[in-house]
């Protein structure tokens, strides 16, 4: 819905809201072509383990510039597959960031390995290579940097650290499809790169994920792992007239369906446009909110280009006096579906209980967590949606932030 009025009284306190219906922080965008692509598969001979899987994987690998792309039923399943392919097992350690969704660390636990959390840089909020270096040990098997909000982590630094240690870099790029790092597409840089196709991402298959890699051995392991550890899939057996197969390792049923791949393939054709729209929205936020008192906008390094899965702003406590949560509630009351990304993983009750983690482990991540608010960011947003967000932010800041206009 469009803005209702220019009332300055906050909706939180009974005033008229900027919007009557909530604008979510993220949302899928589907076209009639997307819907038709799925219907075509439903009318075909194969609705899973069929030809659309190969088509989607080949097109995706080509898009990001990787040799292989292996699809999975979710981004978490893809992360799990990458950790297994990297050889992570009981007693190993994997270094990652606490400023991420819990799945990034959970997949390490699935392998009975130990996640080690290193702090983030204060600018991009991505994993800090110098902090990773402090945590390296003979038990380190992998490093999982996260491309936070769509901004690539400092990948070459992690590759250098991993080479020295004999570890594997598994890039969690769930936020970063379409992003660029030093002139290269995310998905073509790290040993393995993991993507998510959840509805709020740049491309959706409903649920789904992908691992890209240039290493043949990893691709073979990934394909087997998603199929129960079986060496030959059903379509290959039918094509060759064989019935015999062997389970050569312990795997999972992490396959993505042909229906989902058809949707992904259709959406892939619009990916460049969708990423560009997100960049336009980010630029609009920067132009209109860049001078707002008490608001710190996301930082981008000159050597990288974000694909803007999120637009996380920080409430400057110097002006807001610790009122992030009140500002959050006020923006929701105005019809702006803000969110917070993320609670540091080790502060979740499960991690506190299992590992005895306490506050103070990663001071920067913990500090920014108390300041972060994610503004709506998705390529289906209209110009009016963006203007509503800006109006609501200005309205709320003028009430809560000392010195705001």
């Amino acid at each position: 819905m469009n803005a209702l009025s220019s009332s300055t009284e906050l909706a939180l306190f009974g005033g008229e809201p900027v919007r009557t219906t909530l604008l979510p922080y993220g949302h899928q965008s589907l076209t009639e072509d997307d819907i038709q692509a799925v219907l075509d598969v439903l009318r075909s001979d194969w609705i899973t383990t069929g030809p659309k899987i190969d088509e989607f994987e080949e097109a995706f690998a080509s898009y990001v510039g990787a040799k292989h792309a292996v699809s999975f039923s979710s981004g978490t399943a893809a992360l799990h597959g990458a950790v297994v392919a990297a050889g992570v097992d009981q007693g190993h350690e994997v270094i990652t960031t606490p400023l991420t969704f819990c799945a990034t660390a959970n997949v390490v636990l699935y392998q009975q390995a130990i996640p080690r959390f290193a702090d983030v840089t204060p600018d991009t909020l991505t994993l800090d290579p110098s902090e990773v270096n402090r945590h390296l040990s003979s038990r380190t098997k992998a490093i999982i940097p996260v491309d936070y909000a769509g901004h690539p982590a400092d990948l070459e630094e992690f590759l250098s650290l991993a080479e020295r240690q004999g570890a594997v870099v598994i890039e969690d790029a769930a936020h970063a499809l379409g992003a660029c790092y030093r002139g290269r597409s995310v998905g073509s840089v790290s040993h393995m790169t993991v993507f998510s196709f959840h509805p709020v991402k740049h491309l959706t298959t409903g649920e789904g994920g992908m691992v890209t890699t240039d290493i043949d051995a990893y691709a073979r392991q990934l394909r087997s792992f998603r199929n129960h550890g079986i060496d030959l899939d059903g379509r290959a057996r039918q094509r060759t007239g064989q019935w015999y197969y062997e389970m050569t390792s312990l795997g999972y049923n992490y396959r993505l369906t042909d229906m989902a791949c058809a949707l992904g393939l259709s959406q892939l054709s619009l990916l460049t446009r969708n990423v560009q729209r997100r960049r336009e929205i980010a630029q609009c936020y920067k132009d209109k909110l860049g001078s707002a008192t008490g608001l710190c906008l996301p930082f981008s390094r000159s050597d990288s280009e974000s694909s803007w899965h999120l637009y996380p702003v920080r409430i400057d406590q110097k002006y807001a006096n610790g009122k992030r949560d009140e500002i959050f509630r006020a923006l929701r009351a105005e019809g702006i579906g803000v969110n917070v990304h993320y609670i540091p993983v080790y502060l979740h009750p499960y991690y506190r209980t299992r590992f005895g983690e306490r506050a103070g482990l990663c001071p920067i991540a913990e500090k920014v967590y108390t300041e972060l608010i994610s503004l709506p960011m998705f390529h289906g947003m209209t110009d009016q949606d963006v203007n509503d967000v800006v109006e609501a932010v200005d309205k709320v800041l003028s009430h809560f932030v000392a010195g705001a206009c």
Side-chain angles (χ1 to χ4, degrees):
M1 282 293 211
N2 293 344
L4 293 177
S5 75
S6 57
S7 170
T8 58
E9 184 178 5
L10 295 186
L12 188 65
F13 304 133
E16 203 168 23
V18 170
R19 295 175 63 96
T20 56
T21 57
L22 190 73
L23 177 69
Y25 89 90
H27 197 269
Q28 72 272 15
S29 298
L30 300 177
T31 69
E32 288 302 317
D33 286 344
D34 294 335
I35 295 167
Q36 187 61 51
V38 175
L39 289 174
D40 289 345
V41 168
L42 287 171
R43 296 187 179 106
S44 74
D45 292 333
W46 294 89
I47 62 174
T48 191
T49 65
K52 285 298 176 184
I53 295 169
D54 289 346
E55 288 181 42
F56 182 39
E57 290 176 344
E58 289 168 8
F60 192 91
S62 177
Y63 187 94
V64 303
K67 185 175 180 181
H68 302 283
V70 182
S71 61
F72 283 81
S73 55
S74 69
T76 303
L79 275 168
H80 189 190
V83 166
V84 170
V88 174
D89 210 338
Q90 186 172 8
H92 289 145
E93 295 183 357
V94 176
I95 304 171
T96 192
T97 169
L99 204 63
T100 183
F101 184 59
C102 57
T104 308
N106 289 352
V107 297
V108 178
L109 298 182
Y110 296 166
Q111 293 305 107
Q112 301 181 64
I114 302 167
R116 295 294 185 199
F117 296 102
D119 214 343
V120 298
T121 63
D123 50 12
T124 63
L125 308 185
T126 55
L127 191 60
D128 187 335
S130 65
E131 291 296 307
V132 169
N133 187 49
R134 290 199 311 109
H135 287 75
L136 287 173
S137 75
S138 60
R139 296 182 296 278
T140 304
K141 192 68 174 180
I143 302 168
I144 308 182
V146 172
D147 299 330
Y148 180 76
H151 192 292
D154 197 350
L155 302 176
E156 288 188 4
E157 288 293 321
F158 294 120
L159 288 167
S160 178
L161 289 170
E163 182 177 10
R164 193 178 76 203
Q165 194 63 36
V168 179
V169 175
I170 302 169
E171 180 185 356
D172 183 341
H175 293 184
L177 180 56
C180 295
Y181 171 78
R182 298 186 180 179
R184 298 176 64 182
S185 294
V186 163
S188 67
V189 182
S190 300
H191 298 130
M192 285 181 276
T193 306
V194 179
F195 298 93
S196 167
F197 304 139
H198 183 274
V200 297
K201 301 302 198 305
H202 309 78
L203 173 159
T204 187
T205 58
E207 289 281 2
M210 192 79 79
V211 183
T212 59
T213 184
D214 287 343
I215 301 172
D216 295 346
Y218 289 160
R220 285 194 299 271
Q221 288 176 283
L222 289 163
R223 295 185 192 283
S224 175
F225 180 73
R226 72 172 177 191
N227 189 37
H228 303 278
I230 292 171
D231 60 355
L232 202 62
D233 66 34
R235 190 162 68 95
R237 293 197 301 274
Q238 187 192 67
R239 187 170 56 245
T240 58
Q242 297 181 31
W243 63 267
Y244 185 79
Y245 63 87
E246 293 182 329
M247 177 184 151
T248 57
S249 61
L250 181 62
Y252 288 71
N253 180 359
Y254 278 161
R255 299 184 299 259
L256 194 60
T257 68
D258 277 56
M259 294 175 288
C261 286
L263 177 56
L265 195 58
S266 179
Q267 291 244 311
L268 188 62
S269 67
L270 300 175
L271 180 57
T272 299
R273 186 190 74 180
N274 292 346
V275 171
Q276 181 57 38
R277 175 57 181 161
R278 287 172 181 260
R279 288 174 176 154
E280 291 170 359
I281 294 168
Q283 185 62 50
C284 188
Y285 281 154
K286 183 177 181 180
D287 292 343
K288 296 185 177 182
L289 295 173
S291 59
T293 302
L295 198 67
C296 301
L297 302 188
F299 175 84
S300 295
R301 291 195 312 263
S302 60
D303 66 354
S304 298
E305 192 170 11
S306 177
S307 56
W308 297 108
H309 163 54
L310 302 172
Y311 196 85
V313 299
R314 293 159 64 179
I315 307 301
D316 191 331
Q317 303 300 0
K318 179 173 64 175
Y319 297 97
N321 194 27
K323 295 181 179 177
R324 188 280 304 269
D325 291 353
E326 291 180 72
I327 292 170
F328 177 93
R329 289 193 294 271
L331 286 168
R332 297 279 297 192
E334 297 296 339
I336 307 303
V338 290
N339 211 326
V340 172
H341 299 91
Y342 295 94
I343 301 169
V345 174
Y346 58 80
L347 294 182
H348 285 291
Y350 177 85
Y351 280 84
R352 285 181 180 269
T353 302
R354 176 163 179 175
F355 297 104
E357 302 286 18
R358 294 291 182 270
L361 182 63
C362 297
I364 295 174
E366 291 176 28
K367 177 179 182 293
V368 300
Y369 158 61
T370 67
E371 302 168 346
L372 284 166
I373 292 179
S374 295
L375 302 183
M377 169 58 76
F378 56 97
H379 45 268
M381 288 177 68
T382 66
D383 291 344
Q384 184 61 55
D385 291 334
V386 178
N387 290 336
D388 288 350
V389 174
V390 171
E391 180 181 343
V393 170
D394 284 341
K395 180 181 177 182
V396 169
L397 288 181
S398 69
H399 179 89
F400 283 104
V401 174
C405 298

